[in-house]
């Protein structure tokens, strides 16, 4: 039974939801307002009280502003006075008059002083009361006290000086053992670390038993100008704001200490050698309840002892780094003295409002939904990666408008991210990829510069790889950027974290903290840079390096939004794609190096297989690439279109190294066949043994005849004639075996004549042989022993058939056109000795030539990428001839690519000049070029390429590197080229 489809929940348009919600909200609001109006009117009173509280808060704020602002202005003016930056103690006396005037003009100012970076201190304090003068043991008419601390030659001198109102010195007191150091004071340290004026939190002045704060600023040279400010008048200010008789009003700091409170003479408590502010919770029970840690209300009600209180807590910016807090508590029964009558008309007004707003809500919801529908269409376009869809219009609703702007930025970000990812992924060269990575990230990060470090896989060194400043790629040698080991303790924090797999680092570096980046600050002409360091991690999480973006810090160019988390996240995302591309490029390079190593390993194995052709597979690629570069640089029309790409150079390089890879299947005893009878060994020794047997037979016949009474002299003559003939015949056969000269018809006839000689075999030649040879011998019946056999024989067992798997059909898929011999090997003695030229039989030559067939077959089986698809064609064509008589495909010139024709010339020239062949010696340059000139005449090699080979001097470059000095003779190039032109 088929399952019923689950019911789909019914969906309604957004404007229906908004209209329904709007109606419900209006209805609920009307009900709540009606009930509220019927039950109480206290909200109106509370609203009035809130305005009153705000006014009180404003007045207290203004009072604090009037207290602090003149002092701040005074410090700013004094900071302009050059005398404040005098470092010599004698020069500081010039500050006495302006300090005294400032203290006289500002009665709330308790002291003015200067702190110096060497620990010196200069402070002027007004002595406004007799208690102050008595406290500091000052003369009765003293108006000011000057306290100085001076450091000189490791000694510390401290003194009090008292002056009258006209700044006449009244008394000087030397104080020994002074341990006060302004550099250890919070006001000094805070001012140095802040570029603007700082204000300390309120505290109790021990000397004056007053509550106050300290204002300070760094005026340069690490000199700090400061002023002590009293806050005693605030308590009097607060007393004017007691709304009702039981009102509690209090000014306190963030630690809960009372700063101002009406009716309290002092807010300080002495504790040993210091004074502390009274805790606000100790002043009254309502204040203690308000300041309870569990009560964090800013506005509202508080119930205490069955009495409701209206409370207000306002934060005031002045009074210290964390500001002050104004707490106000008013009994609700005193505040709500008058009650308002409940008005039934409120319900009617609410109902009328509801009826009027229903159509307005419907229209408003429709206006809201329209831009949202546009956003849905835009989101669907992004989903299908259509970034050309027009952006939705602006909306009067802030949230919808922000959503539209965010959607547009998201679309731009995704499009930019995908474009950058595609751009980086398409880059194929590693050095260009690094430049592109840096350029793209600097561009998307809107940075002033960028620096890329990569970790060397083998050494673990963190090495700078690329640098860009103001959009220009820089030469790293012009900037002293250091390399680091990842475990180096001197590695900067902003580099060590991302380099060890940590989070991205965002730091601001001045010139002193920049370290190795100081030269970059000079180049950017910026006193400070904001540095963003992102680690580059591959798929396995291994850190590949660190990408750093540099942002100038000055009023014209620095944009704080560039360091926002979302911008850093985008940079990290781009860095992640860059890391994957870098890792992929490294892996690709490693694979290329591995492929190159395998190719050279195979070529080396082929060369090592035969000591007589060692180096051939390594020299031919060098010569081929020399000729290819000459063709690429040639202005001749024949080579105008030959401008290989980087991939085509790689293709030619691989093809040249693999051009003889099929030789690995060729038996070396065939390749190295130095004599006609040589197989795994030289069979001339077997024939020599037979001649030795015949010579022994001559002696045996001689002695046998003598025993029978024959004439000794006649028998000796016959014996000597036989021995001489045998020696001369064997010498002839030995010369024929060398294959150094062409065989004349007379020589062939003589071989046939010598082959008629017989020798007697008395042992069974079918004992102790391999099963394969036994099978070949079984083709003919065994002879009865003893048997007389020819001295040189072509026996049936000398013929080795070709296996069916080694047959080459005419319709083979590779297009090979070969004359395949009937037998794989013909080891007949007479057959081999009758070779007309050289040492190779037709079967041997086919086996040697078969290496190119195997090369093509092997290379066609390799899964080369598309840009290497022509490797087999280039490598497999170096034995073809321009007239179509070459092998293995009998291609003509127009059917061959230019690189394949180049390799044919390189292969021939290397073979002619090689000195490691067993069957010939290396030819000189002139001999080799003249031989190749003959090949040009016979259309065996490309005439235009050979002409370029001579004219460009490639043969001389090759000779200087690989030939022996005695092979490098004079070559008449003009004569060669003239003979070519005559063809």
């Amino acid at each position: 039974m088929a399952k019923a489809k689950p019911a789909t929940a019914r969906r309604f348009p957004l404007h229906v939801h908004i209209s329904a919600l709007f109606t419900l909200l209006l209805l609920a609001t009307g009900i709540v307002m009606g009930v509220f109006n019927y039950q109480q009117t206290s909200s109106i009173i509370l609203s009035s009280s809130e305005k009153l509280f705000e006014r009180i808060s404003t007045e207290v704020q203004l009072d604090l502003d009037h207290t602090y602002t003149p002092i701040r202005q005074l410090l700013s003016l004094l900071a302009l006075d050059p005398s404040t930056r005098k470092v010599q103690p004698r020069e500081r006396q010039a500050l006495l008059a302006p300090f005294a005037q400032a203290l006289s003009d500002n009665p709330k100012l308790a002291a003015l002083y200067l702190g110096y970076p060497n620990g010196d201190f200069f402070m002027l304090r007004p002595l406004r009361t007799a208690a102050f003068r008595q406290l500091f043991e000052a003369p009765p008419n003293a108006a000011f006290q000057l306290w100085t601390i001076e450091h000189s030659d490791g000694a510390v001198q401290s003194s009090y000086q008292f002056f009258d109102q006209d700044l006449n010195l009244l008394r000087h007191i030397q104080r020994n053992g002074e341990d006060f150091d302004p550099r250890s004071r919070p006001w000094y340290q805070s001012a140095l670390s802040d570029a603007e004026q700082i204000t300390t939190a309120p505290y109790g002045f021990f000397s004056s038993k007053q509550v106050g704060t300290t204002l300070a600023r760094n005026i340069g040279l690490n000199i700090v100008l400061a002023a002590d400010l009293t806050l005693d008048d605030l308590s009097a200010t607060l007393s004017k704001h007691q709304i009702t008789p039981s009102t509690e009003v209090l000014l306190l700091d963030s630690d809960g200490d009372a700063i101002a409170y009406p009716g309290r003479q002092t807010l300080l408590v002495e504790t040993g050698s210091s004074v502390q502010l009274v805790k606000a919770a100790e002043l009254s029970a309502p204040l203690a309840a308000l300041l309870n840690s569990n009560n964090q209300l800013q506005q509202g009600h508080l119930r205490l002892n069955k009495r409701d209180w209206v409370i207000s807590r306002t934060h005031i910016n002045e009074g210290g780094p964390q500001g002050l807090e104004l707490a106000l508590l008013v009994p609700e029964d005193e505040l709500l003295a008058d009650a308002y009558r409940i008005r039934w008309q409120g319900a009617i007004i609410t109902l009328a409002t509801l009826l009027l707003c229903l159509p307005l809500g419907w229209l408003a919801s429709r206006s809201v939904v329209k831009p949202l529908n546009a956003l849905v269409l835009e989101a669907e376009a992004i989903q299908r990666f259509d970034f050309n869809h027009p952006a939705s219009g602006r909306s009067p609703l802030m949230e919808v408008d922000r959503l539209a702007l965010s959607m547009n930025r998201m679309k731009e970000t995704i499009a930019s991210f995908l474009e950058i990812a595609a751009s980086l992924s398409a880059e194929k060269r590693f050095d260009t990829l690094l430049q592109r990575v840096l350029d793209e990230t600097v561009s998307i990060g809107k940075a002033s510069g960028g620096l890329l470090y990569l970790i060397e896989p083998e050494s673990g060194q963190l090495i700078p790889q690329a640098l860009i400043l103001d959009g220009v790629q820089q030469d790293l040698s012009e900037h002293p950027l250091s390399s680091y080991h990842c475990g180096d303790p001197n590695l900067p924090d902003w580099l060590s974290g991302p380099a060890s797999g940590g989070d991205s680092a965002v730091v601001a570096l001045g010139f002193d903290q920049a370290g190795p980046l100081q030269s970059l600050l000079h180049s950017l002409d910026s006193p400070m840079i904001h540095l963003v360091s992102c680690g580059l991690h591959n798929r396995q999480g291994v850190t590949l390096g660190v990408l750093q973006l540099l942002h100038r810090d000055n009023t014209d160019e620095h944009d704080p939004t560039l360091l926002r988390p979302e911008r850093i996240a985008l940079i990290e995302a781009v860095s992640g794609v860059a890391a994957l591309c870098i890792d992929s490029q490294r892996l690709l390079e490693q694979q290329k190096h591995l492929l190159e190593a395998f190719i050279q390993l195979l070529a080396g194995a082929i060369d090592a297989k035969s000591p007589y052709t060692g180096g051939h597979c390594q020299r031919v690629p060098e010569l081929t690439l020399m000729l290819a570069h000459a063709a690429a640089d040639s202005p001749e029309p024949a080579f105008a279109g030959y401008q290989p790409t980087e991939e085509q150079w790689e293709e030619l390089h691989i093809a040249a190294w693999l051009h003889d890879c099929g030789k690995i299947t060729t038996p070396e005893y065939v390749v190295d066949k130095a004599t006609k009878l040589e197989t795994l060994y030289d069979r001339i020794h077997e024939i020599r043994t037979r001649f030795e047997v015949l010579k022994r037979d001559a002696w045996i016949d001689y002695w046998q005849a003598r025993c029978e009474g024959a004439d000794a002299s006649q028998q000796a003559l016959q014996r000597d004639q036989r021995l001489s003939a045998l020696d001369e015949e064997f010498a002839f056969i030995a010369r024929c075996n060398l294959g150094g000269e062409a065989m004349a018809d007379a020589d062939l006839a003589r071989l046939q004549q010598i082959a008629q000689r017989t020798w007697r075999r008395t042992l069974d030649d079918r004992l102790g042989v391999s099963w394969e040879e036994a099978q070949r011998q079984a083709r003919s019946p065994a002879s009865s022993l003893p048997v007389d056999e020819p001295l040189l024989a072509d026996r049936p067992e000398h013929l080795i058939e070709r296996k069916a798997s080694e047959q080459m059909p005419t319709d083979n898929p590779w297009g090979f056109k070969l004359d395949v011999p009937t037998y794989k090997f013909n080891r007949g003695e007479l057959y081999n000795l009758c070779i007309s030229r050289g040492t190779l039989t037709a079967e041997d030559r086919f086996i040697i030539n078969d290496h190119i067939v195997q090369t093509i077959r092997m290379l066609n089986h390799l899964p080369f990428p598309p840009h290497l698809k022509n490797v087999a064609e280039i490598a497999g064509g170096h034995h073809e001839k321009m007239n179509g008589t070459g092998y293995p495909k009998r291609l003509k010139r127009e059917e061959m690519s230019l690189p394949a024709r180049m390799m044919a010339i390189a292969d021939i020239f290397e073979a002619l000049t090689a000195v490691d062949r067993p069957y010939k010696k290396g030819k000189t340059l002139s001999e080799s070029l003249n031989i190749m000139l003959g090949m040009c005449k016979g259309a065996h090699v490309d005439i235009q390429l050979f002409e370029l080979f001579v004219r460009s001097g490639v043969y001389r470059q090759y000779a200087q590197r690989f030939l022996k000095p005695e092979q490098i003779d004079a070559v008449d190039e003009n004569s060669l080229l003239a003979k070519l032109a005559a063809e």
Side-chain angles (χ1 to χ4, degrees):
M1 182 176 180
K3 293 184 178 179
K5 293 183 179 180
T8 303
R10 191 172 182 182
R11 303 291 191 269
F12 295 95
L14 178 61
H15 66 275
V16 174
H17 286 275
I18 294 176
S19 300
L21 181 61
F22 186 65
T23 302
L24 292 175
L25 288 176
L26 283 177
L27 184 60
T29 301
I31 294 173
V32 171
M33 290 296 295
V35 172
F36 184 77
N37 289 334
Y38 275 109
Q39 290 183 350
Q40 58 184 7
T41 60
S42 57
S43 61
I44 300 175
I45 303 300
L46 292 177
S47 176
S48 299
S49 66
E50 289 176 1
K51 295 180 180 179
L52 179 60
F53 294 162
E54 290 176 1
R55 180 177 59 81
I56 295 173
S57 174
T58 301
E59 291 180 3
V60 173
Q61 178 73 53
L62 289 174
D63 190 75
L64 284 173
D65 288 341
H66 293 158
T67 302
Y68 280 88
T69 301
I71 308 305
R72 288 199 177 93
Q73 295 172 351
L74 172 63
L75 291 180
S76 299
L77 291 174
L78 290 176
L80 299 176
D81 189 350
S83 300
T84 58
R85 285 181 288 277
K86 301 294 185 180
V87 296
Q88 297 298 327
R90 295 179 180 176
E91 298 174 337
R92 300 170 188 163
Q93 294 298 323
L95 297 172
L96 195 58
F99 275 25
Q101 186 63 44
L103 293 170
S104 300
D105 295 339
N106 295 275
K108 295 182 181 180
L109 195 58
L112 278 171
Y113 43 91
L114 288 162
Y116 296 86
N118 65 342
D120 284 5
F121 186 65
F122 184 89
M123 175 181 180
L124 188 65
R125 176 189 289 121
L127 303 176
R128 296 189 176 97
T129 64
F132 253 43
R133 290 190 285 272
Q134 182 180 359
L135 178 64
F136 297 104
E137 300 179 356
N141 59 339
F144 300 99
Q145 176 205 27
L146 177 63
W147 179 16
T148 61
I149 299 175
E150 299 173 1
H151 292 70
S152 177
D153 299 329
V156 181
Q157 296 180 358
S158 176
S159 65
Y160 283 170
Q161 298 179 47
F162 298 96
F163 299 89
D164 60 10
Q165 191 66 39
D166 298 326
L167 298 182
N168 297 313
L169 180 62
L170 301 179
R171 179 181 298 172
H172 183 279
I173 301 176
Q174 194 70 30
R175 293 170 58 86
N176 296 324
E178 181 63 59
D179 59 354
F180 179 79
D181 190 342
R183 295 172 297 184
S184 64
R185 306 302 294 170
W187 54 268
Y188 184 89
Q189 298 172 355
S190 300
L192 287 184
S193 61
D194 199 323
E196 304 294 335
Q197 287 191 12
I198 61 98
T199 304
T200 66
Y203 63 98
F205 298 153
F206 180 79
S207 57
S208 61
K209 303 300 184 292
Q210 294 176 308
V211 177
T213 60
T214 298
L215 286 78
R217 67 176 295 162
N218 183 359
I219 62 174
L221 303 177
N222 289 340
I223 300 174
V224 175
L225 174 64
D228 287 340
L229 176 66
T230 61
L231 302 176
D232 286 344
D233 294 339
L234 290 177
S235 296
T237 300
L238 295 182
S239 63
K240 297 185 299 183
H241 301 303
Q242 289 184 295
I243 303 172
T244 65
S246 302
T247 296
E248 294 281 353
V249 59
L250 171 70
L251 195 63
L252 68 159
D253 61 13
S254 60
D255 294 328
D257 298 328
I259 306 303
Y261 183 71
R264 182 71 179 249
Q265 295 297 326
T266 178
L267 295 175
L268 297 177
V269 178
E270 293 190 21
T271 57
S273 60
S274 62
V275 293
Q276 293 183 352
L277 292 170
V278 173
K279 292 295 182 181
E282 299 176 0
L283 297 177
S284 69
L287 289 175
L290 175 65
L291 301 177
N292 188 291
S293 60
N294 296 327
N295 191 350
Q296 300 297 328
L297 290 176
Q298 299 299 316
Q299 302 285 343
H301 293 75
L302 175 67
R303 187 167 184 80
L304 178 65
N305 297 330
K306 299 181 180 181
R307 190 176 189 185
D308 292 328
W309 296 74
V310 179
I311 63 174
S312 174
R313 298 174 68 175
T314 306
H315 183 267
I316 297 176
N317 294 328
E318 290 289 5
Q322 297 181 352
L324 300 176
E325 183 175 356
L326 176 66
L328 187 64
L329 294 87
V330 182
E332 190 173 88
D333 54 344
E334 294 180 2
L335 183 64
L336 301 177
D338 298 326
Y340 292 91
R341 291 178 302 172
I342 299 174
R343 298 183 179 180
W344 291 93
Q345 292 85 351
I348 299 175
I349 294 174
T350 300
L351 182 60
T353 302
L354 177 61
L355 295 176
L356 289 175
C357 290
L358 281 176
L360 295 177
W362 179 267
L363 295 176
S365 64
R366 298 285 294 187
S367 64
V368 171
V369 168
K370 185 176 181 180
L372 288 177
N373 287 331
L375 288 176
V376 170
L377 296 177
E378 188 173 0
E380 291 175 348
I382 295 175
Q383 183 180 6
R384 60 178 180 267
F385 293 95
D386 178 12
F387 299 106
N388 296 321
H389 189 276
S392 59
R394 305 296 296 269
S395 171
L397 297 178
M398 182 180 67
E399 289 79 8
V400 177
D401 188 62
R402 289 178 60 187
L403 178 59
L405 293 176
S406 298
M407 181 76 74
N408 191 42
R409 293 193 192 101
M410 179 183 69
K411 180 173 67 175
E412 293 175 353
T413 301
I414 295 175
S416 176
F417 180 79
L418 293 177
E419 182 180 357
I420 291 174
S423 174
L424 295 180
S425 300
E427 190 59 58
K428 296 181 180 179
R429 293 189 57 183
F430 188 71
D431 53 348
T432 309
L433 172 64
L434 298 183
Q435 301 288 355
R436 178 68 67 84
V437 166
L438 199 56
D439 186 60
E440 295 291 356
T441 49
V442 167
S443 175
I444 200 171
K446 298 182 180 179
S448 306
L451 176 60
L452 178 64
Y453 285 88
L454 288 184
I455 298 177
E456 186 67 27
E458 296 180 358
S459 64
Q461 287 283 330
L462 193 62
I463 303 174
Q465 297 287 344
L467 173 65
I468 184 173
L469 296 176
D470 291 326
V472 180
Q473 298 289 345
Q474 303 292 315
D475 186 357
L476 287 172
S477 62
E478 298 178 358
H479 298 271
L481 297 173
S482 305
S483 298
Y484 300 93
H485 194 276
C486 290
D488 190 346
N490 296 323
L491 195 62
D493 294 339
W494 40 265
L495 195 56
S496 62
S500 58
D503 296 333
S504 299
V506 181
V507 296
L509 299 176
F511 188 82
D512 295 336
Q513 299 86 25
L517 303 182
Q518 289 180 347
S519 65
L520 305 186
L521 269 72
H522 279 301
S523 300
L524 293 173
D525 193 20
S526 175
M528 177 180 289
I529 58 172
H530 293 274
L531 186 67
V532 180
S533 294
C534 299
L536 302 175
H537 312 293
N538 64 10
R539 298 171 180 84
Q540 291 75 34
V542 178
T543 302
L544 304 179
V546 178
L547 177 66
Q548 297 180 334
L549 298 185
L550 313 172
H551 297 268
R552 281 192 182 91
D553 186 1
N554 55 50
T555 55
D556 296 330
E557 295 190 27
H558 178 55
D559 185 0
T561 60
L562 300 178
L563 302 178
R564 287 183 176 177
E566 59 270 21
R567 177 65 63 175
I568 303 301
L570 178 58
I571 295 174
E572 289 177 342
V574 175
S575 300
V577 174
L580 294 180
C581 293
I582 292 174
D583 190 42
S584 298
Q585 283 284 355
R586 276 187 169 177
L587 291 176
L588 183 59
E589 286 296 319
Q590 292 171 359
Q591 290 177 351
K592 286 184 177 180
H593 292 325
L594 181 61
L595 175 62
E596 179 73 13
F598 271 119
I599 291 172
Q600 296 190 15
L601 177 67
L602 179 60
I606 294 170
D607 285 343
K609 183 179 178 183
S610 171
Y612 302 115
T613 58
H616 173 77
C617 292
Q618 301 176 37
R619 293 190 291 266
V620 169
E622 296 287 345
L623 185 54
T624 302
L625 291 177
M626 288 181 186
L627 184 56
H629 281 290
D633 297 336
S634 174
E636 297 180 15
F639 309 109
Y642 185 67
Q643 295 296 324
T645 64
E646 183 178 354
E647 294 176 343
Q648 289 172 329
W649 282 116
E650 180 185 6
E651 183 180 59
L652 178 59
H653 172 79
I654 294 175
W657 274 94
L658 293 176
H659 79 284
D660 272 348
C661 65
K663 279 186 177 180
I664 201 167
T665 65
T666 306
E668 62 270 18
Y669 67 86
V670 177
V671 178
D672 301 339
K673 188 178 181 183
T675 65
K676 296 178 179 180
L677 293 175
E678 184 176 3
T679 54
L680 293 176
Y681 68 99
D682 196 341
R683 293 180 295 159
I684 190 66
H685 304 300
E686 292 184 11
I687 297 175
R688 180 186 293 109
T689 302
R690 297 173 195 167
F691 272 92
E692 293 288 355
V693 170
L694 292 178
K695 291 180 71 175
R696 298 301 183 273
D697 288 345
W699 277 99
I700 293 171
D701 291 344
Y702 166 75
W703 288 113
Q704 186 175 2
R706 287 290 306 275
C707 290
E708 293 175 354
D711 181 58
S713 59
Q714 183 179 4
Q715 293 299 320
L717 178 61
Q718 293 177 358
R719 178 201 66 197
D720 292 340
Q721 289 177 347
R722 288 178 63 186
L723 292 175
S724 176
L726 289 172
D727 288 340
E728 195 275 333
E729 289 177 356
F730 178 75
F732 172 73
I733 293 174
R735 288 195 304 272
C736 292
N737 186 45
L738 295 177
E741 299 177 357
M743 294 287 289
D745 292 341
D747 293 336
L748 295 175
R750 188 178 182 189
L751 280 175
Q752 296 291 337
Q753 180 183 359
I754 294 173
Q756 300 304 314
R757 283 186 180 271
T758 60
W759 67 288
R760 178 162 295 183
R761 177 171 59 85
T762 61
L763 298 175
D764 190 351
D765 62 354
R766 304 194 180 194
L767 296 178
V769 298
S770 68
W771 67 271
E772 287 183 327
E773 187 172 356
Q775 283 184 333
R776 292 197 298 270
Q777 289 177 331
R779 299 171 187 167
S780 58
S783 301
S784 300
L785 298 178
V787 60
D788 291 335
E789 294 182 344
L791 186 63
L792 301 174
D794 290 338
R795 300 179 180 277
E797 58 265 28
H798 287 157
L799 299 175
I800 301 176
E801 289 84 358
R802 191 178 304 278
K803 297 179 181 179
S805 60
E806 298 177 356
Q807 299 294 334
M808 182 64 65
T810 56
D811 58 344
N812 63 85
W814 303 281
F816 298 142
K817 299 175 182 178
L818 304 170
D819 294 328
V820 183
T822 304
Y823 297 100
K824 182 175 183 180
F825 293 107
N826 187 338
R827 292 174 179 167
E829 296 167 344
L830 191 59
Y831 177 78
N832 279 268
L833 287 171
C834 290
I835 296 173
S836 60
R837 184 181 296 275
T839 63
L840 300 178
T841 65
E843 292 79 8
D844 295 332
R845 195 169 300 280
F846 180 82
I847 289 175
I848 293 177
N849 292 344
D850 188 60
H851 81 275
I852 197 65
V853 172
Q854 300 303 322
T855 293
I856 295 174
R857 295 179 65 178
M858 291 167 63
L859 294 180
N860 278 325
H861 277 86
L862 293 179
F864 284 114
H867 71 280
L868 301 178
K869 63 181 180 180
N870 296 321
V871 166
E873 186 271 335
I874 297 173
H878 64 278
H879 285 295
E880 300 287 353
K881 298 179 182 179
M882 303 302 103
N883 58 6
T885 60
Y887 66 92
K889 298 182 180 181
R890 299 180 184 176
L891 300 176
K892 293 185 178 181
R893 180 184 184 278
E894 56 272 13
E895 297 175 308
M896 299 173 62
S897 65
L898 184 61
R901 286 178 270 148
M902 292 178 184
M903 192 171 296
I905 290 180
D907 190 72
I908 294 171
F909 187 77
E910 192 283 332
L912 290 173
T913 57
V915 296
D916 49 11
R917 300 296 193 271
Y919 43 81
K920 70 174 189 66
K921 64 178 183 178
K923 298 186 181 298
T924 64
L925 285 179
S926 58
E927 291 174 338
S928 302
L929 292 176
N930 278 296
I931 292 173
M932 294 183 71
L933 177 62
M935 292 182 175
C936 289
K937 295 179 179 180
H940 289 182
V941 297
D942 190 309
I943 295 178
Q944 292 177 334
L945 274 176
F946 180 70
E947 183 180 0
L948 175 67
F949 183 72
V950 175
R951 182 183 295 109
S952 64
V954 169
Y955 72 94
R956 289 195 301 271
Q957 300 174 28
Y958 176 81
Q960 294 297 329
R961 293 181 56 186
F962 298 104
L963 298 191
K964 292 183 176 181
E966 57 268 23
Q967 292 180 268
I968 306 176
D969 59 353
V971 176
D972 189 351
E973 294 183 2
N974 294 329
S975 176
L976 281 174
L977 295 175
K979 292 178 181 179
L980 278 177
E983 290 298 320

